[in-house]
Amino acid sequence: MLQPSSFFTQFGSAHSTRALTAGLTWDMPYRWQLGTGEVSSYLEASYSYWHIQSQDRAGLSQLSQVALVPVLRYRPDDGASPWFVEAGIGLTATSSVYRTRQKSFSTSFNFGTHSAVGRSFGERGQHEISLRLEHFSNAGIKHPNPGENFIQVRYARRF
C-alpha cells in the first residue's frame, strides 16, 4: 500500500483562477461488481498551485492547495473497458483563504468533490486522460461558502 500506483498532472480553470496540479495515487483493495461493470477504488494525494488573476484579488495572486481524496471508479465490461467514470470526495487545505472580487471563502480548510470521465490507453493501459469537474467548498461549516468550480484535464501514468 505504500508504493504509489500512478502519478498525475492536471490543469484547468475556474472563473478567474487557473490551477496546475501534480499528485500520486494508491490503488485500494476494494472492488465490487456493479451490473456488467466493476467499481474499484484508489486514494489520491495532490499539490495544486492556483494563479488568481491579479485584478481580481488584492495582494496575493496565488495560493497552494494540498488534498487527500478517496475515489471510486466504474469501468464497464467487467472492468475490462478502457473507458471509465469516477467520483471522489475528500479534504483540502489552502495556504491562504481564497478570495476574488466575485467570491470569498471563509476557510482555508475545504472539501473537494469531483466527477470525471476518462479513457486508458497504451499497451498495458498505463496512460490515462480524463476530463474532470471539481468543486471546492467548506460544506457550510462557516459562511460565506460560495464554493468554486473548476474544469480540469488530467493525464495519469501508471507505474
Side-chain angles (χ1 to χ4, degrees), residues 101-118:
R101 292 190 196 272
Q102 293 82 23
K103 293 184 178 187
S104 181
F105 280 24
S106 57
T107 60
S108 291
F109 170 80
N110 290 286
F111 295 94
T113 60
H114 79 268
S115 58
V117 62

Side-chain angles (χ1 to χ4, degrees), residues 8 18 63 69 77-78 92 94 100 104 135 141 144 153 158:
F8 65 87
R18 286 186 227 119
L63 59 80
V69 180
D77 195 22
D78 291 322
T92 74
T94 52
T100 68
S104 181
H135 175 78
I141 292 171
V153 174
R158 293 192 63 79

